[in-house]
Amino acid sequence: MLNLHDFSLAIRRRAWVGALLCGVALGSGASAAPAPLAPLTKVRLTVVQFVPATGDYKRWDAVSGEFEIGPDGSLAVPTLGSLDVSGLGAEELGTRIGELLQSKLGLIDAPNASVQVLEYPPVYVVGNVATPGAYSYRPGMTVIQAMALAGGEQRIEGASGLSETIRLQWDLEGYSRDILRTTTRLARLKAEFAREPEITFDPTLNTADPVVAEIMEQERRIFDAHTNELSRQQVGLEQLAVLYKAEIDALEQKSGAIDQQIERAQQQVDSLKTLLAAGASTVARLTDAERILDDLRSEKLDNVIATMSARENLNRSERDLAKLQDEQQSYAAAQLQEQQASLEKLMLSQTSTMRMLRQSMDADASTVAAQTAKTGIRYSILRQEGEQTVSLEASEASVLVPGDLVRVALEVEMPAGSSAPAPQQVDLATIP
């Protein structure tokens, strides 16, 4: 037999499903008003320009492509660099990029730049809903549509709420471990980029924790392995350069000796020519002396070629050494950027999970009272505005923006003459 609460819950679920289907139908029939592009929005930029000579549009592949707006509201566009797109819609951004390209490249007409949104940041639904979590955003989405995606009002079942809390706590612990590993990895990459003799870790890390100590030790081992490998390659190239320099010195000494031999051989030929003219020598002796002089000159040429080859090898070894150092710096710099971006995403996910965990634990604390009380639903929105997070009162028709967190709370009215059991006390000091 259905009680009053179950009957009311069934009516609400039908209304939420109806609202979701209506929202989908409206989304396919009419376009919502353009909203400003939020951080972490993925967009596709297409730049084309009309070529009067051919009557065709030419696509600018060097500028076009898929991009993601950074957490600070900036968009990195080839040729233009980093642009602040805060408060701009897709159409406005396309117009601005076209104007900037026209100005920077000195074009007579601005190229046609269009921005297509590929994926918005999700909205988050927490509190008394069936399946709290992140859901794909679409322009014009309302609170009731987001709640319908989350399965509607949560059934008053203590076990499901507890399971959600445990899952969020597990996720939060995983984010904390990932942030720890990324932080220590960044410290190693900074040391490699700066070519420091050892890693300087964050002094706030608890080295007494075995897990922290093990992660730090792993990064030290990787650092030592990379440093030793680079050192071995550098020493090998430096030793090779020393050998080439020694070879050049020996060839230059040999060249001096050959020059002396050539000088003496030339004197011998000149002397024999004088004697031959006086009839005191033979043609055969002169021929032998000239052959010896030619051989010495040929040996001189071979020595010059060998010296040039040794100098080329020396230059190559010096270039290889410089290239090795540059490649190590470039690799470390690329890894630094990648890990820094990963850390920022992990911290955003951690913050969202903390908020969801707080709401889940609040819901667990009120479950016992809600099972026996008359309930209503109150909505609020947590929205990021600049560097601040503001809380807004909301209704079912309130329009959401990407990244919003919708909080669904039960308004409990206890039956007359009864009192709610005291909720379980939970330490939320670490949750903002």
Side-chain angles (χ1 to χ4, degrees):
M1 179 177 182
L2 287 173
N3 57 29
L4 182 59
H5 177 271
D6 290 338
F7 178 75
S8 176
L9 182 60
I11 295 298
R12 288 176 187 154
R13 285 185 177 275
R14 291 184 180 181
W16 289 323
V17 172
L20 177 60
L21 294 176
C22 180
V24 172
L26 290 175
S28 61
S31 59
L37 297 172
L40 304 183
T41 300
K42 296 181 179 179
V43 298
R44 176 184 291 120
L45 172 62
T46 304
V47 181
V48 298
Q49 187 177 34
F50 181 72
V51 182
T54 61
D56 296 328
Y57 282 91
K58 180 179 180 181
R59 176 186 171 98
W60 291 17
D61 292 325
V63 181
S64 305
E66 296 183 2
F67 307 93
E68 180 176 308
I69 298 176
D72 59 350
S74 65
L75 178 66
V77 179
T79 303
L80 299 179
S82 181
L83 304 179
D84 183 7
V85 300
S86 302
L88 297 180
E91 184 175 352
E92 296 171 321
L93 178 58
T95 302
R96 182 181 177 190
I97 289 175
E99 294 172 349
L100 290 174
L101 287 172
Q102 179 188 15
S103 175
K104 184 164 186 177
L105 301 179
L107 303 175
I108 298 176
D109 298 320
N112 296 322
S114 63
V115 176
Q116 176 188 3
V117 177
L118 300 179
E119 181 180 345
Y120 288 99
V123 294
Y124 304 88
V125 185
V126 299
N128 291 92
V129 291
T131 53
Y135 294 92
S136 298
Y137 172 85
R138 68 174 183 276
M141 177 180 285
T142 61
V143 169
I144 190 64
Q145 292 171 351
M147 189 166 178
L149 291 174
E153 182 182 353
Q154 181 184 25
R155 291 183 178 274
I156 308 301
E157 297 176 357
S160 63
L162 182 59
S163 299
E164 177 64 14
T165 300
I166 293 173
R167 184 188 68 81
L168 290 172
Q169 289 174 337
W170 180 264
D171 290 344
L172 191 59
E173 177 66 21
Y175 286 133
S176 298
R177 293 288 181 88
D178 291 341
I179 289 174
L180 172 61
R181 291 186 180 277
T182 304
T183 301
T184 54
R185 190 174 299 118
L186 277 171
R188 171 177 60 81
L189 290 171
K190 289 178 180 178
E192 290 180 355
F193 181 77
R195 297 179 183 175
E196 296 176 351
E198 61 182 13
I199 306 175
T200 302
F201 290 106
D202 186 347
T204 61
L205 293 177
N206 181 17
T207 56
D209 186 339
V211 175
V212 176
E214 176 62 23
I215 293 175
M216 293 172 65
E217 181 60 26
Q218 290 174 359
E219 293 299 329
R220 288 193 185 97
R221 292 172 183 172
I222 296 173
F223 177 79
D224 291 340
H226 288 178
T227 301
N228 292 337
E229 175 63 20
L230 179 62
S231 177
R232 283 194 296 268
Q233 294 183 27
Q234 287 179 330
V235 169
L237 290 173
E238 289 170 354
Q239 291 177 346
L240 187 61
V242 170
L243 291 175
Y244 285 137
K245 289 178 181 179
E247 181 182 3
I248 292 172
D249 291 340
L251 289 171
E252 289 177 348
Q253 293 176 8
K254 182 179 180 181
S255 178
I258 293 175
D259 287 340
Q260 293 177 0
Q261 292 177 2
I262 291 175
E263 182 179 358
R264 289 195 297 270
Q266 184 65 54
Q267 292 175 355
Q268 179 69 20
V269 169
D270 294 341
S271 177
L272 288 174
K273 285 181 178 180
T274 302
L275 293 175
L276 181 62
S281 181
T282 63
V283 175
R285 289 187 61 190
L286 178 60
T287 302
D288 292 340
E290 288 177 342
R291 186 181 66 253
I292 293 173
L293 179 59
D294 291 340
D295 291 342
L296 288 173
R297 287 173 176 170
S298 177
E299 185 177 355
K300 170 68 174 181
L301 182 59
D302 292 341
N303 190 76
V304 170
I305 295 173
T307 302
M308 292 174 61
S309 177
R311 292 186 184 279
E312 181 182 358
N313 291 334
L314 175 61
N315 291 335
R316 185 185 299 112
S317 65
E318 291 175 345
R319 290 197 303 269
D320 290 344
L321 179 59
K323 180 181 178 182
L324 174 66
Q325 296 171 345
D326 291 343
E327 288 179 345
Q328 187 271 341
Q329 291 260 286
S330 299
Y331 176 78
Q335 288 294 306
L336 272 173
Q337 292 181 344
E338 180 180 341
Q339 293 302 317
Q340 188 63 48
S342 176
L343 179 61
E344 291 175 358
K345 290 183 179 180
L346 285 171
M347 294 182 72
L348 285 174
S349 299
Q350 184 190 48
T351 301
S352 299
T353 304
M354 283 180 172
R355 294 174 182 170
M356 294 168 63
L357 177 59
R358 185 183 186 109
Q359 298 307 314
S360 180
M361 297 175 76
D362 288 345
D364 291 345
S366 61
T367 296
V368 175
Q371 286 175 333
T372 57
K374 297 180 180 179
T375 60
I377 299 179
R378 180 171 57 86
Y379 305 102
S380 61
I381 298 174
L382 288 179
R383 179 170 297 168
Q384 192 75 24
E385 294 185 354
E387 297 182 355
Q388 296 183 345
T389 301
V390 297
S391 179
L392 307 173
E393 292 297 326
S395 66
E396 294 179 348
S398 296
V399 179
L400 302 175
V401 300
D404 274 355
L405 185 145
V406 180
R407 177 187 294 166
V408 182
L410 290 178
E411 292 182 332
V412 180
E413 180 183 351
M414 298 302 300
S418 65
S419 59
Q424 180 183 2
Q425 297 297 316
V426 182
D427 181 13
L428 297 178
T430 60
I431 303 179

